[in-house]
Structures are given as structure tokens and as C-alpha cells.
Amino acid sequence: MTVFVLFGATGDLARRMVLPAFYTLAIEGLLPEKWILVGNGRGDVSHEDFRGRVREALEEFGPAPGKGPWREFAKRLRFAGGGFNTDSPGSLLDVIADARAEVGPKAQLVHYLAVPPVAFPELTKALDKHGLATGARVVYEKPFGTSPDAFRKLNRQVHAVLDESQVYRIDHFLGKEATQQLHAMRFANTAFSALWSREHVESVQIDVPETLGVDNRAEFYDATGAVLDMLVTHLFQVAAEVAMEPPAGLSAAELQSARETVIRKFRPIDPAEAVLGQYAGYQDIKGVASRSRTDTFVAAKLWIDSPRWKGVPFLLRTGKKMTVSEQRVSLVLRTPESRSRSSHRNRTSCRSRWPAPVRSTCRCWPSSPGSPTSWSRPGSRSR
């Protein structure tokens, strides 16, 4: 028995990510037997209108309503308007009480904060004040703070209300199927495991270009930017997935421990090795400051001071309004040393038996459906 409360339920993040994820869980049969999802927001939205908005989100971002148990799913959707803060709970307490009366008085509360980080402290305090924190689980979206000091301050505020066992700081990139497949490809395949180090890898490239803009979340994005929204969250986590040492096991705790260990080896990014950009027309979007200098594109070089990766650059790139949308990790392999020497000697004597050295790339995190791994060379198609 679970009552999910989705704060920011009418926002862009909920539409694009959270609500489609809930429906996917319903399709896969992974939700509890008895559950209700309560959306929360400032507006006065009826339960039926909220169901309509959820359906529209699924039609736009998938899975399509017809691909799953839509009628049963829609029956479990509720909305609590009037906002929620320490001064007023709006209608949330009443709607939760009705939901618990339906699924069971001891239903587990799970709060999902799909809101800008600036709202985290007030919402956390409000959960405490209105009696919704005890025994609950609380999911915080990224970024959890906008700097190390801001992270520590927010962490103290959260721990003043919640025990760490109640807190889940989410990075949805880690839940992507292709990210999960990195583990199997690397740790269950001796060929890949053998080449996964500085001896064989010249560079690691992590690319997440996106065609979408920020029109539906301009205020949030203008206060955040590509560095905080993508680089130090999603891309750092994927870099940690690639760079971590083999974990003791594949449980969530063991994988998290392995990621945390290698993240401690990340060298602070040198501003001289980073490029920021902003796409044309960004400042014309409603909600964006007229002279905003917020970055919508970032390319940065990350160095990891571990024995496995020392001296290998990790090239991280992401941006909005790009020509394509992709999510890709590429391992650029070194040319075998003996071949390089032979090729150099043969070129000088005009008796080359080897063609010129060709850079090979292992693409191990593609966004397109199909195999999680492909190999390519410049001038050739991936295969």
C-alpha cells in the first residue's frame, strides 16, 4: 500500500520524465497492488483535469496510453491544489486522507519533489510541520544544491527533518537501460574488461546533445544552466559509471560505493579546459532574463587521478537546441604501440606494409535502440 505525492506535478520535469516513468512501472507490473498518485501544485485543478493532463503527457512523451492499462491507471490519479508550504498545506492533507481511506490507513507515503532546488528547504520543513515526514520516503531531484557549500547546507536542512534512510537523491540517467548495460558489458565480458584502462584507452567521450529547448521550464533553467543541470549531475555520474573500479557486487549500495570512491578522484575542472555557450534566441524566451549569461551548452575536460585512468581525458559535452539528440559514451582506443612504430619506420623508408594508423572507437552507451555496443572508425558507419 503506497500513496505517492508528486510535487510539481504540472511542471515540465513531471511531464517529460516522472509521469511517463510511473506509467512504465504500471505497464511492467512493478507498482504496489494498492497505490494512489497525488499530484500537487499551486493551481486549482480537478482530479479529472489532472488525469487529462497526464494523458496528454503520455501521448507526447510516451508510453502512449493505449500501450498499457490506462483506465485502471487513471482511476488512481488525484490532485491536491492550493500549493503546499509551512503556512498552508492547501488541500493536500485532505486528499492524502482520502487516499489512505481507499488504499489503507497504514499506506507508505513517498514524496517526489520534482521542483526547482530552491524549493527543497521550504517543502521539507512543510512536510515536517504538517505531519507528513514521519516514516515517509522523500525523493529529491537534481541538482541537490548548486555548490559544495549549498549542498552541505541543504543536507543539514534535510537531516533536521529526515533520517538519511528516508532520503533518495535521484539521478534518472542512472536508471536508463543503456547505463545499466554498461555493468554487464564491462564486468561480464573479459574482452572489454581487459581494455578498460589507460593502457588501451586514449580518451573517453561522453556526449548528450539535445534538440529540445527550455521554453517550458525557463525560470528554473535560467537559474541553473547546463553545468548544473547536466554536467555535474548526469554526466559526472555516467563518467563515474565508466571509471569506477569493479564493485564488490551489483547491489545498489555496492554500486553507489564504487561510484563515490572514483568521484573522490575527480580533479576539479580547470576553467581553461571548459567552453560555455548559449543558443541564439535563448534570451527571448519568456522567463529568461533579457541579458542572461546562463550557459545552455558546455564542453569540459575531466581528469581522474586514479591508477586506472590517470592521464586519460574524459571529454564531457552537452547542450540544448542541438541538431541531434543522443546519449553516447565513446572509448577512443590507442593505436597499438608496435604498429605505430612500424608505420613510422615504413613511412620514412617508403616500404609501408601497414596502412596509416586508424583511431578505433568503442561506443558503449548509444541512445538508439538495439545493441548497447558498437565499433566505428572515422569515415565508416557504426556497426
Side-chain angles (χ1 to χ4, degrees), residues 335-354:
T335 300
E337 189 173 333
S338 60
R339 176 172 171 176
S340 296
R341 286 199 299 265
S342 298
S343 182
H344 177 73
R345 289 196 300 267
N346 289 333
R347 281 199 303 271
T348 57
S349 63
C350 297
R351 292 194 305 269
S352 178
R353 293 176 299 165
W354 293 95

mmCIF file of all heavy atoms in Angstrom, residues 335-354:
data_model
loop_
_atom_site.group_PDB
_atom_site.id
_atom_site.type_symbol
_atom_site.label_atom_id
_atom_site.label_comp_id
_atom_site.label_asym_id
_atom_site.label_seq_id
_atom_site.Cartn_x
_atom_site.Cartn_y
_atom_site.Cartn_z
ATOM 1 N N THR A 335 46.245 3.465 -30.653
ATOM 2 C CA THR A 335 46.843 2.660 -31.705
ATOM 3 C C THR A 335 47.924 1.794 -31.072
ATOM 4 O O THR A 335 48.720 2.292 -30.275
ATOM 5 C CB THR A 335 47.480 3.558 -32.773
ATOM 6 O OG1 THR A 335 46.465 4.393 -33.334
ATOM 7 C CG2 THR A 335 48.120 2.719 -33.879
ATOM 8 N N PRO A 336 47.951 0.490 -31.350
ATOM 9 C CA PRO A 336 48.977 -0.370 -30.745
ATOM 10 C C PRO A 336 50.368 0.206 -30.970
ATOM 11 O O PRO A 336 50.705 0.655 -32.070
ATOM 12 C CB PRO A 336 48.805 -1.709 -31.477
ATOM 13 C CG PRO A 336 47.366 -1.703 -31.895
ATOM 14 C CD PRO A 336 47.042 -0.275 -32.208
ATOM 15 N N GLU A 337 51.174 0.205 -29.908
ATOM 16 C CA GLU A 337 52.480 0.859 -29.970
ATOM 17 C C GLU A 337 53.372 0.255 -31.046
ATOM 18 O O GLU A 337 54.048 0.968 -31.780
ATOM 19 C CB GLU A 337 53.160 0.759 -28.603
ATOM 20 C CG GLU A 337 54.429 1.580 -28.498
ATOM 21 C CD GLU A 337 54.969 1.585 -27.080
ATOM 22 O OE1 GLU A 337 54.172 1.432 -26.152
ATOM 23 O OE2 GLU A 337 56.189 1.719 -26.912
ATOM 24 N N SER A 338 53.384 -1.067 -31.170
ATOM 25 C CA SER A 338 54.250 -1.705 -32.170
ATOM 26 C C SER A 338 53.840 -1.317 -33.577
ATOM 27 O O SER A 338 54.671 -1.094 -34.449
ATOM 28 C CB SER A 338 54.197 -3.230 -32.021
ATOM 29 O OG SER A 338 52.863 -3.695 -32.204
ATOM 30 N N ARG A 339 52.524 -1.169 -33.796
ATOM 31 C CA ARG A 339 52.043 -0.781 -35.114
ATOM 32 C C ARG A 339 52.432 0.653 -35.421
ATOM 33 O O ARG A 339 52.808 0.992 -36.534
ATOM 34 C CB ARG A 339 50.527 -0.957 -35.179
ATOM 35 C CG ARG A 339 49.933 -0.481 -36.485
ATOM 36 C CD ARG A 339 48.468 -0.855 -36.558
ATOM 37 N NE ARG A 339 47.844 -0.209 -37.709
ATOM 38 C CZ ARG A 339 46.595 -0.402 -38.068
ATOM 39 N NH1 ARG A 339 45.835 -1.235 -37.391
ATOM 40 N NH2 ARG A 339 46.092 0.209 -39.112
ATOM 41 N N SER A 340 52.352 1.528 -34.396
ATOM 42 C CA SER A 340 52.717 2.922 -34.610
ATOM 43 C C SER A 340 54.179 3.042 -34.994
ATOM 44 O O SER A 340 54.544 3.773 -35.913
ATOM 45 C CB SER A 340 52.439 3.735 -33.344
ATOM 46 O OG SER A 340 51.068 3.748 -33.059
ATOM 47 N N ARG A 341 55.047 2.277 -34.298
ATOM 48 C CA ARG A 341 56.473 2.353 -34.600
ATOM 49 C C ARG A 341 56.750 1.811 -36.004
ATOM 50 O O ARG A 341 57.482 2.406 -36.784
ATOM 51 C CB ARG A 341 57.272 1.568 -33.554
ATOM 52 C CG ARG A 341 57.364 2.260 -32.210
ATOM 53 C CD ARG A 341 58.524 1.673 -31.430
ATOM 54 N NE ARG A 341 58.351 0.248 -31.181
ATOM 55 C CZ ARG A 341 57.832 -0.261 -30.080
ATOM 56 N NH1 ARG A 341 57.413 0.542 -29.114
ATOM 57 N NH2 ARG A 341 57.723 -1.567 -29.924
ATOM 58 N N SER A 342 56.107 0.676 -36.338
ATOM 59 C CA SER A 342 56.331 0.097 -37.662
ATOM 60 C C SER A 342 55.857 1.034 -38.751
ATOM 61 O O SER A 342 56.527 1.222 -39.766
ATOM 62 C CB SER A 342 55.587 -1.247 -37.771
ATOM 63 O OG SER A 342 56.074 -2.165 -36.828
ATOM 64 N N SER A 343 54.696 1.640 -38.525
ATOM 65 C CA SER A 343 54.144 2.528 -39.540
ATOM 66 C C SER A 343 55.057 3.722 -39.753
ATOM 67 O O SER A 343 55.288 4.150 -40.869
ATOM 68 C CB SER A 343 52.737 2.988 -39.118
ATOM 69 O OG SER A 343 52.174 3.809 -40.096
ATOM 70 N N HIS A 344 55.614 4.256 -38.626
ATOM 71 C CA HIS A 344 56.501 5.414 -38.747
ATOM 72 C C HIS A 344 57.770 5.039 -39.513
ATOM 73 O O HIS A 344 58.189 5.752 -40.428
ATOM 74 C CB HIS A 344 56.850 5.927 -37.352
ATOM 75 C CG HIS A 344 57.816 7.074 -37.393
ATOM 76 N ND1 HIS A 344 57.464 8.339 -37.803
ATOM 77 C CD2 HIS A 344 59.141 7.124 -37.093
ATOM 78 C CE1 HIS A 344 58.519 9.140 -37.735
ATOM 79 N NE2 HIS A 344 59.549 8.421 -37.313
ATOM 80 N N ARG A 345 58.350 3.889 -39.163
ATOM 81 C CA ARG A 345 59.583 3.480 -39.852
ATOM 82 C C ARG A 345 59.308 3.232 -41.331
ATOM 83 O O ARG A 345 60.088 3.624 -42.200
ATOM 84 C CB ARG A 345 60.137 2.195 -39.204
ATOM 85 C CG ARG A 345 60.728 2.407 -37.827
ATOM 86 C CD ARG A 345 61.588 1.200 -37.461
ATOM 87 N NE ARG A 345 60.804 -0.037 -37.455
ATOM 88 C CZ ARG A 345 60.215 -0.527 -36.370
ATOM 89 N NH1 ARG A 345 60.290 0.133 -35.220
ATOM 90 N NH2 ARG A 345 59.547 -1.663 -36.435
ATOM 91 N N ASN A 346 58.199 2.592 -41.626
ATOM 92 C CA ASN A 346 57.913 2.263 -43.014
ATOM 93 C C ASN A 346 57.604 3.491 -43.848
ATOM 94 O O ASN A 346 57.895 3.530 -45.035
ATOM 95 C CB ASN A 346 56.742 1.277 -43.086
ATOM 96 C CG ASN A 346 57.136 -0.097 -42.585
ATOM 97 O OD1 ASN A 346 58.303 -0.455 -42.662
ATOM 98 N ND2 ASN A 346 56.173 -0.845 -42.060
ATOM 99 N N ARG A 347 56.991 4.494 -43.230
ATOM 100 C CA ARG A 347 56.718 5.706 -43.998
ATOM 101 C C ARG A 347 58.024 6.382 -44.406
ATOM 102 O O ARG A 347 58.150 6.889 -45.514
ATOM 103 C CB ARG A 347 55.856 6.680 -43.162
ATOM 104 C CG ARG A 347 54.380 6.322 -43.139
ATOM 105 C CD ARG A 347 53.550 7.539 -42.730
ATOM 106 N NE ARG A 347 53.955 8.060 -41.444
ATOM 107 C CZ ARG A 347 53.451 7.658 -40.277
ATOM 108 N NH1 ARG A 347 52.543 6.698 -40.267
ATOM 109 N NH2 ARG A 347 53.853 8.189 -39.156
ATOM 110 N N THR A 348 58.999 6.380 -43.523
ATOM 111 C CA THR A 348 60.253 7.058 -43.855
ATOM 112 C C THR A 348 61.034 6.280 -44.907
ATOM 113 O O THR A 348 61.794 6.859 -45.671
ATOM 114 C CB THR A 348 61.127 7.220 -42.598
ATOM 115 O OG1 THR A 348 61.370 5.941 -42.016
ATOM 116 C CG2 THR A 348 60.436 8.119 -41.578
ATOM 117 N N SER A 349 60.861 4.964 -45.000
ATOM 118 C CA SER A 349 61.603 4.179 -45.995
ATOM 119 C C SER A 349 60.759 3.861 -47.228
ATOM 120 O O SER A 349 61.231 3.174 -48.123
ATOM 121 C CB SER A 349 62.078 2.859 -45.355
ATOM 122 O OG SER A 349 60.958 2.084 -44.976
ATOM 123 N N CYS A 350 59.495 4.339 -47.217
ATOM 124 C CA CYS A 350 58.590 4.122 -48.353
ATOM 125 C C CYS A 350 58.323 2.642 -48.599
ATOM 126 O O CYS A 350 58.129 2.199 -49.715
ATOM 127 C CB CYS A 350 59.145 4.752 -49.637
ATOM 128 S SG CYS A 350 59.298 6.536 -49.509
ATOM 129 N N ARG A 351 58.361 1.830 -47.524
ATOM 130 C CA ARG A 351 58.073 0.406 -47.673
ATOM 131 C C ARG A 351 56.955 0.017 -46.688
ATOM 132 O O ARG A 351 57.055 -0.977 -45.992
ATOM 133 C CB ARG A 351 59.324 -0.448 -47.409
ATOM 134 C CG ARG A 351 60.413 -0.283 -48.454
ATOM 135 C CD ARG A 351 61.455 -1.384 -48.327
ATOM 136 N NE ARG A 351 62.033 -1.461 -46.995
ATOM 137 C CZ ARG A 351 63.117 -0.811 -46.622
ATOM 138 N NH1 ARG A 351 63.752 -0.026 -47.481
ATOM 139 N NH2 ARG A 351 63.582 -0.938 -45.411
ATOM 140 N N SER A 352 55.945 0.828 -46.624
ATOM 141 C CA SER A 352 54.892 0.612 -45.638
ATOM 142 C C SER A 352 54.093 -0.647 -45.933
ATOM 143 O O SER A 352 53.555 -0.808 -47.019
ATOM 144 C CB SER A 352 53.935 1.819 -45.605
ATOM 145 O OG SER A 352 52.899 1.574 -44.692
ATOM 146 N N ARG A 353 54.046 -1.540 -44.970
ATOM 147 C CA ARG A 353 53.186 -2.713 -45.077
ATOM 148 C C ARG A 353 51.856 -2.469 -44.367
ATOM 149 O O ARG A 353 50.893 -3.149 -44.622
ATOM 150 C CB ARG A 353 53.881 -3.928 -44.466
ATOM 151 C CG ARG A 353 55.108 -4.390 -45.246
ATOM 152 C CD ARG A 353 55.791 -5.536 -44.537
ATOM 153 N NE ARG A 353 56.248 -5.123 -43.217
ATOM 154 C CZ ARG A 353 56.627 -5.977 -42.263
ATOM 155 N NH1 ARG A 353 56.553 -7.272 -42.481
ATOM 156 N NH2 ARG A 353 57.048 -5.535 -41.116
ATOM 157 N N TRP A 354 51.828 -1.508 -43.400
ATOM 158 C CA TRP A 354 50.609 -1.186 -42.660
ATOM 159 C C TRP A 354 49.995 0.084 -43.240
ATOM 160 O O TRP A 354 50.691 0.979 -43.664
ATOM 161 C CB TRP A 354 50.912 -0.924 -41.182
ATOM 162 C CG TRP A 354 51.369 -2.100 -40.407
ATOM 163 C CD1 TRP A 354 52.641 -2.461 -40.145
ATOM 164 C CD2 TRP A 354 50.548 -3.067 -39.759
ATOM 165 N NE1 TRP A 354 52.696 -3.582 -39.393
ATOM 166 C CE2 TRP A 354 51.410 -3.983 -39.123
ATOM 167 C CE3 TRP A 354 49.159 -3.253 -39.660
ATOM 168 C CZ2 TRP A 354 50.933 -5.059 -38.394
ATOM 169 C CZ3 TRP A 354 48.685 -4.314 -38.921
ATOM 170 C CH2 TRP A 354 49.567 -5.214 -38.305
#
